[in-house]
């Protein structure tokens, strides 16, 4: 017998467990896929918001091209769109944090997560299903952003292995943000509790190398900006895509950006993944 589900827009799926012994690993994968499909089906009810989320990074890119492109084009040693597009790709992986926090918090506060906990399914599957659904959403957003960049005249100078390395770095950052968002969403006591985190996202975004070269800042300030995990990913993606690579303030963080582009997301995931699973298992009743 296979696992059968009856998903609804605002409820958890009804699960029929198989008879006889089943591998816990197989059951965990099956449960995770069930939750993933449930989250993906919600897209039909929020299609307008979903589409806006896909094009939002392009709107930001267009805004900064208009505001800063002419002024900063010469300072970055080439076309500003070639400089900013890798940063926009890193920004796209980072900004999904807000969507994840909101979705997880909504399920938790409406009692849907409690219903999941009452079902005989893997606790890892519930948070893992959310992670897979949001990761798929991020892949669509990245495709839309790349298409938008090409429309604006962006022409990356890269090879196939370097392009796959870029995708790997972006997904690594996105996974780190997913588990961070899942944990914060589970711990939020109300929608208002997420407001400080939603506000904090923007200083982190702008205080990085996404839109500007930190070498123009005072050295101590540039070092702080270069230490931003978003800066490490943006700078490494620039190098892989053949974009202008600037000084970055001559800090140790800028000198080791490629290493930090991997180390930061791995460290963040190692911290927040177990915290998210623990928060789900000990969720308030």
């Amino acid at each position: 017998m296979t696992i059968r589900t009856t998903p609804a827009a605002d409820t958890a799926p009804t699960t029929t467990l198989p008879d006889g012994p089943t591998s816990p690993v197989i059951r965990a994968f099956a449960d995770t896929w069930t939750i993933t499909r449930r989250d993906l089906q919600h897209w039909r009810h929020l299609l307008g918001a979903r589409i806006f989320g896909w094009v939002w990074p392009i709107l930001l890119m267009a805004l900064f091209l208009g505001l800063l492109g002419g002024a900063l084009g010469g300072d970055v040693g080439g076309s500003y769109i070639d400089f900013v597009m890798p940063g926009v790709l890193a920004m796209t992986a980072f900004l999904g944090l807000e969507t994840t926090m909101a979705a997880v918090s909504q399920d938790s506060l409406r009692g849907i997560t409690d219903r999941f906990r009452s079902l005989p399914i893997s606790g890892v599957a519930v948070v893992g299903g959310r992670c897979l659904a949001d990761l798929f959403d991020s892949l669509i957003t990245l495709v839309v952003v790349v298409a938008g960049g090409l429309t604006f005249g962006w022409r990356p100078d890269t090879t196939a292995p370097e392009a796959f390395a870029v995708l790997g770095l972006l997904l690594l950052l996105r996974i780190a943000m997913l588990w961070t968002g899942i944990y914060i969403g589970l711990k939020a006591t109300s929608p208002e509790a997420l407001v400080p985190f939603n506000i904090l996202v923007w200083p982190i975004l702008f205080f990085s190398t996404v839109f500007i070269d930190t070498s123009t800042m005072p050295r101590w300030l540039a070092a702080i900006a270069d230490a931003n995990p978003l800066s490490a990913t943006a700078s490494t993606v620039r190098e892989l895509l053949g974009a202008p690579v600037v000084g970055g303030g001559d800090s140790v963080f800028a000198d080791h950006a490629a290493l930090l582009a991997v180390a930061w997301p791995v460290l963040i995931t190692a911290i927040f993944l177990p915290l998210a699973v623990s928060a789900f298992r000990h969720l308030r009743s």
Side-chain angles (χ1 to χ4, degrees):
M1 184 185 299
T2 58
I3 295 179
R4 299 190 301 272
T5 62
T6 306
D10 297 322
T11 61
T14 301
T15 305
T16 301
L17 293 179
D19 298 328
T22 305
S23 166
V25 175
I26 294 176
R27 288 187 59 181
F29 275 110
D31 292 342
T32 299
W33 177 239
T34 297
I35 302 300
T36 301
R37 287 193 297 115
R38 176 258 180 189
D39 292 333
L40 291 177
Q41 286 172 350
H42 282 199
W43 289 14
R44 295 178 302 174
H45 308 284
L46 299 169
L47 188 58
R50 190 65 58 183
I51 293 175
F52 180 79
W54 293 338
V55 301
W56 174 237
I58 296 179
L59 297 178
L60 281 179
M61 177 184 67
L63 176 65
F64 275 86
L65 280 174
L67 291 177
L68 302 178
L72 296 180
D75 294 337
V76 299
S79 170
Y80 184 66
I81 190 172
D82 290 335
F83 173 83
V84 80
M85 266 303 299
V88 171
L89 291 173
M91 176 191 72
T92 301
F94 175 71
L95 283 184
L97 173 66
E98 296 173 291
T99 303
T100 301
M101 289 190 301
V104 172
S105 176
Q106 184 181 51
D107 278 354
S108 177
L109 296 175
R110 295 172 67 182
I112 297 173
T113 305
D114 283 331
R115 183 175 178 186
F116 281 135
R117 294 177 66 214
S118 69
L119 297 174
I121 60 177
S122 169
V124 175
V126 178
V127 290
R130 165 57 60 183
C131 185
L132 286 179
D134 283 5
L135 194 61
F136 183 60
D137 178 67
S138 298
L139 285 172
I140 295 177
T141 309
L142 286 173
V143 170
V144 172
V145 169
V146 169
L150 293 174
T151 302
F152 277 99
W154 176 53
R155 297 295 182 267
D157 181 13
T158 188
T159 62
E162 290 173 335
F164 280 111
V166 167
L167 179 61
L169 288 175
L170 295 174
L171 292 181
L172 197 61
L173 177 64
R174 183 68 186 102
I175 289 171
M177 294 300 101
L178 276 170
W179 289 110
T180 304
I182 290 172
Y183 173 71
I184 295 174
L186 287 172
K187 299 296 287 185
T189 56
S190 68
E192 291 75 19
L194 295 177
V195 172
F197 297 100
N198 290 330
I199 294 175
L200 186 61
V201 162
W202 295 97
I204 294 175
L205 171 63
F206 292 121
F207 199 51
S208 69
T209 61
V210 168
F211 296 112
I212 60 173
D213 172 20
T214 57
S215 64
T216 60
M217 302 178 182
R219 180 169 296 184
W220 65 271
L221 193 61
I224 297 175
D226 287 330
N228 187 336
L230 193 55
S231 295
T233 299
S235 298
T236 306
V237 169
R238 277 194 186 98
E239 186 171 356
L240 290 170
L241 293 180
V245 179
V246 289
D250 297 326
S251 69
V252 64
F253 300 105
D255 293 339
H256 298 87
L259 175 62
L260 292 175
V262 176
W264 272 127
V266 169
L267 177 62
I268 293 170
T269 302
I271 292 172
F272 283 99
L273 191 157
L275 284 177
V277 174
S278 177
F280 172 79
R281 289 175 175 168
H282 300 92
L283 195 65
R284 59 195 176 279
S285 300

